[in-house]
Amino acid sequence: MPDSTPLRLVIIIGSIRRGRFGPTAASWFVAQARKRRELNIDLVDLATAGLPDALTDQDELVPEPVRALAPRLAAADAFVVVTPEYNRSFPAPLKTAIDWFYEEWQAKPVAFVSYGRESGGLHAVAQLREVFGELHAVAIRTLVSLPCYWELFAADGSWPKPTATCNNTVKTTLDELTWWAYALREARAVRPYTCR
């Protein structure tokens, strides 16, 4: 019988830049995800996670902030990465955060909420798909893209306007992410993922 225990969803805010839009986009997405009883949300903000900029060598002690975040990522059934697009790519702190971990990402689905100018962060997401593929994660097809996000959200920056397409794509994204999260959790339970 399938496991109906709520899914653990980790949402990662990938920008640490001052004046960033990431917390606004993440707050909106969290509110949408919380409407689903099957999801338990854990929000990780890289601006406050304290992960070091430089990775350690194999024989060096793993820094405390990395050790503190590892069990939260390991316990996740699925991830959502909220990322801006800077110069047709994603932020360097996000890449460093991803690189601190390995097994924590394996055989788990990843969805994206991207924002930027006209592209809506799609260049950043295209690169992130390759990165997560290398880490044996499953990047789901549908994503939430926020092109010219300052025009989509209300003047106070709180929620998207009713006509914004993201109001529909968020539902599809969560549907797909939930399906993959249950499927991969069941697969990992039957046959633990050991590919390296």
Side-chain angles (χ1 to χ4, degrees):
M1 183 172 174
D3 183 359
S4 61
T5 306
L7 296 166
R8 294 176 299 270
L9 174 62
V10 172
I11 300 174
I12 301 169
I13 303 175
S15 173
I16 65 170
R17 181 179 281 188
R18 289 191 188 103
R20 64 205 168 119
F21 179 72
T24 300
S27 176
W28 166 73
F29 190 88
V30 165
Q32 304 310 304
R34 285 204 169 122
K35 293 177 183 177
R36 298 180 178 234
R37 284 178 271 175
E38 72 266 35
L39 298 176
N40 284 336
I41 312 297
D42 182 5
L43 182 63
V44 174
D45 188 345
L46 294 185
T48 58
L51 299 176
D53 296 333
L55 302 176
T56 55
D57 202 351
Q58 291 181 354
D59 59 348
E60 292 180 295
L61 184 66
V62 175
E64 174 55 33
V66 178
R67 291 197 310 269
L69 184 53
R72 292 169 68 186
L73 300 182
D77 294 304
F79 301 98
V80 172
V81 176
V82 180
T83 184
E85 182 179 307
Y86 300 152
N87 302 319
R88 297 177 71 92
S89 188
F90 58 94
L94 176 55
K95 180 64 164 74
T96 303
I98 293 167
D99 289 346
W100 271 116
F101 306 97
Y102 185 67
E103 292 179 1
E104 291 83 356
W105 309 116
Q106 290 183 346
K108 296 176 185 178
V110 183
F112 303 98
V113 175
S114 64
Y115 58 94
R117 298 190 64 81
E118 288 74 14
S119 76
L122 295 181
H123 299 294
V125 171
Q127 293 180 13
L128 282 166
R129 289 182 187 282
E130 290 187 31
V131 171
F132 279 109
E134 181 65 20
L135 294 168
H136 300 259
V138 177
I140 68 164
R141 181 184 178 279
T142 304
L143 72 146
V144 177
S145 174
L146 304 171
C148 301
Y149 58 88
W150 57 90
E151 295 175 357
L152 300 177
F153 277 64
D156 63 359
S158 56
W159 303 115
K161 296 175 182 176
T163 56
T165 59
C166 60
N167 292 311
N168 293 322
T169 57
V170 69
K171 296 180 182 87
T172 307
T173 299
L174 285 166
D175 287 345
E176 288 185 21
L177 183 65
T178 301
W179 188 93
W180 278 102
Y182 276 121
L184 290 173
R185 183 170 74 179
E186 290 171 20
R188 290 192 313 272
V190 172
R191 182 175 297 178
Y193 193 82
T194 58
C195 297
R196 305 248 174 216

